[in-house]
Amino acid sequence: MKSKLNIGLFGFGVVGQGLHYVLNNSTGFKANITKIAVKNKEKKRPVGAELITYDKWEILNNPEIDIVVELIDDAEEAFNIVSEALKKGKHVVTANKKMLAFHLQELYDLQQKHNVSLLYEGSACGSIPIIRTLEEYFDNEELLKVSGIFNGTTNYILTKTINEKLSYENALKQAQEKGFAESDPTNDVEGYDAKFKAVIIAFHAFGLIIKQEQVLNIGITGLHENDIRYAYEKGFKIKLIPIIKRLPDNRINAFVLPQFISKTKQLYNVDNEFNGASVDCKFSGEQFLQGRGAGSYPTGAAVLSDISALSHGYRYEYKKHTQKHASDFTNDVIINVYMRYNTSSDLDKIKFELINETFISDKYNYVVGNINLQTVITQREFILKNKIFISFLEM
């Protein structure tokens, strides 16, 4: 590639402006943002009008643009932009985890067909280089599990509710004021964002393309002060944790649930908007990475890292996919959970395989025991509708 790259940027929101700032204040890498495509013609932007366009083809059809960077909110339009750029032989960087989770197979195929590179470090875990680490350092080692805190918004809210005793509503408002949460926080607090990232990470950790609808996600909207009190009495913190795990038969399971974390775990001390990723390996044991998971500059830095990598001809090799490191996906697994419920009829609906602990009082009820993950998936809507709180507990 040329010594100074020309970038066509789609989107100039929080991450787009973060990239612009990081790029212009970087001492080791130089590139030029040639055009920025945006949608809202009324919005004022902190760059010259000559950089702005409202026509995506002004970037896609420009032969002088070397790299397309996609940072918009609309996942389907993002897919249209990214796929068109790849078809035109342009390398692409994106941070759109929803778009990737819905279209991994198509995007993988387009890269192979058109011999171009699509990089997306900024789509998972903010500033933590988890994808590059899985692709390069762990490309040959068999992994047993990848888990962690993949969403800075929920981690910030949980930190404030548990450590500082703020209400959920006040903690969410504070996260929005600091720019860690959107005005509509559904994707974050209901675990969709973490699920999308888990699907992406599963591809690089185990080589398996999982359909996002196969993965259970239950977030933190059902959290109650009684659950926080239980965690405090047991010496736990509550975190929203995606788990992607290899089973003994070489199949993969993945889910997103709140989890009670003990003081012995690395994730216990990962608070506020920080993310943490734990990689359990067959030979090298547990590896742990921590970094900022939300905010303009951390994600912008991850995007810039991908742009820099492209300038050196880097591309994902997807070794574990081509070598078929995992056989299939399943939700037929037994997990250990805490479940706060309303009435005994809830237990008739949500059947446990084994109950190890029961608590019944005038204020609230809970059980701790083993349940088939497929049962939780089947009863997900019932759980959410009735504000039942369910949290994973490691056996």
Side-chain angles (χ1 to χ4, degrees):
M1 284 195 177
K2 297 179 289 189
S3 58
K4 190 170 184 179
L5 301 176
N6 289 322
I7 296 169
L9 174 61
F10 285 86
F12 204 58
V14 171
V15 179
Q17 291 182 42
L19 170 64
H20 184 266
Y21 179 86
V22 171
L23 178 61
N24 285 308
N25 289 274
S26 173
T27 57
F29 177 75
K30 298 298 179 185
N32 177 54
I33 296 180
T34 303
K35 278 292 177 184
I36 304 171
V38 295
K39 186 177 181 180
N40 188 346
K41 294 183 179 181
E42 307 302 321
K43 187 175 180 180
K44 292 184 178 180
R45 307 179 193 280
V47 292
E50 71 281 358
L51 281 180
I52 300 296
T53 181
Y54 305 101
D55 180 7
K56 66 181 179 181
W57 299 106
E58 195 170 339
I59 290 177
L60 293 172
N61 288 333
N62 186 341
E64 296 300 312
I65 288 177
D66 307 293
I67 296 174
V68 168
V69 178
E70 181 282 308
L71 301 174
I72 68 174
D73 291 332
D74 185 334
E76 282 310 303
E77 180 58 18
F79 175 66
N80 294 334
I81 290 166
V82 170
S83 56
E84 192 64 39
L86 294 173
K87 289 174 186 176
K88 289 180 177 293
K90 295 184 185 296
H91 301 293
V92 180
V93 174
T94 181
N96 198 313
K97 75 281 293 186
K98 183 177 181 180
M99 183 268 293
L100 290 163
F102 274 77
H103 297 288
L104 266 180
Q105 185 66 62
E106 298 102 306
L107 293 170
Y108 171 80
D109 292 341
L110 283 169
Q111 290 178 78
Q112 308 311 307
K113 181 178 180 180
H114 298 282
N115 193 31
V116 285
S117 179
L118 170 65
L119 302 184
Y120 38 86
E121 191 66 67
S123 68
C125 299
S127 63
I128 300 174
I130 183 63
I131 296 174
R132 202 90 54 86
T133 300
L134 293 170
E135 273 287 315
E136 297 177 27
Y137 191 80
F138 297 117
D139 59 340
N140 290 304
E141 183 164 3
E142 183 177 304
L143 302 185
L144 305 177
K145 183 174 74 171
V146 181
S147 61
I149 298 164
F150 296 174
N151 182 273
T153 301
T154 53
N155 201 42
Y156 184 89
I157 293 169
L158 289 169
T159 299
K160 297 303 176 183
T161 56
I162 294 167
N163 294 11
E164 299 181 20
K165 304 297 186 291
L166 291 184
S167 68
Y168 172 84
E169 291 75 18
N170 286 337
L172 172 59
K173 183 180 179 183
Q174 197 175 104
Q176 289 169 328
E177 289 171 349
K178 289 181 175 289
F180 300 146
E182 302 289 341
S183 56
D184 178 3
T186 302
N187 269 350
D188 294 318
V189 298
E190 293 188 1
Y192 288 99
D193 177 84
K195 175 170 76 168
F196 299 149
K197 293 171 181 175
V199 170
I200 296 165
I201 288 172
F203 190 23
H204 294 273
F206 301 103
L208 198 64
I209 296 178
I210 301 168
K211 293 181 179 179
Q212 61 84 28
E213 62 266 23
Q214 293 177 293
V215 180
L216 170 72
N217 63 291
I218 293 180
I220 63 172
T221 52
L223 181 66
H224 189 271
E225 61 181 19
N226 289 322
D227 308 314
I228 296 173
R229 186 180 301 113
Y230 174 89
Y232 179 79
E233 290 173 353
K234 300 288 186 179
F236 296 137
K237 285 184 181 178
I238 304 171
K239 306 289 186 181
L240 186 65
I241 306 289
I243 293 177
I244 312 115
K245 187 175 183 179
R246 183 191 300 276
L247 303 175
D249 62 3
N250 206 37
R251 291 187 296 173
I252 301 301
N253 168 248
F255 60 87
V256 179
L257 282 174
Q259 182 173 337
F260 290 127
I261 303 291
S262 70
K263 293 179 181 179
T264 61
K265 302 295 183 181
Q266 298 266 25
L267 292 172
Y268 184 89
N269 293 313
V270 180
D271 287 330
N272 295 311
E273 74 274 20
F274 282 82
N275 279 191
S278 175
V279 183
D280 292 348
C281 313
K282 185 174 182 179
F283 301 112
S284 55
E286 181 187 7
Q287 310 292 320
F288 183 74
L289 299 90
Q290 178 176 340
R292 292 188 183 277
S296 175
Y297 296 163
T299 309
V303 172
L304 180 60
S305 175
D306 278 344
I307 296 170
S308 176
L310 281 177
S311 73
H312 297 287
Y314 180 78
R315 64 187 303 171
Y316 300 140
E317 293 187 57
Y318 299 106
K319 282 185 183 179
K320 292 190 174 179
H321 181 62
T322 57
Q323 296 171 2
K324 301 188 183 303
H325 270 235
S327 62
D328 203 355
F329 180 83
T330 182
N331 280 312
D332 185 16
V333 295
I334 303 297
I335 60 173
N336 191 46
V337 301
Y338 156 100
M339 188 180 81
R340 176 185 41 76
Y341 63 96
N342 302 313
T343 67
S344 59
S345 63
D346 294 339
L347 294 179
D348 295 331
K349 188 90 171 174
I350 307 167
K351 295 186 180 297
F352 277 67
E353 304 288 320
L354 176 68
I355 292 178
N356 299 314
E357 183 182 344
T358 302
F359 178 83
I360 300 173
S361 74
D362 295 336
K363 294 184 178 180
Y364 83 113
N365 317 300
Y366 72 79
V367 293
V368 175
N370 298 345
I371 192 169
N372 193 302
L373 183 61
Q374 189 60 56
T375 300
V376 183
I377 293 170
T378 302
Q379 300 300 334
R380 180 180 182 272
E381 294 309 313
F382 178 83
I383 290 168
L384 296 177
K385 181 180 178 181
N386 291 277
K387 298 191 180 300
I388 295 168
F389 182 73
I390 187 164
S391 180
F392 180 69
L393 274 166
E394 285 195 294
M395 296 182 185

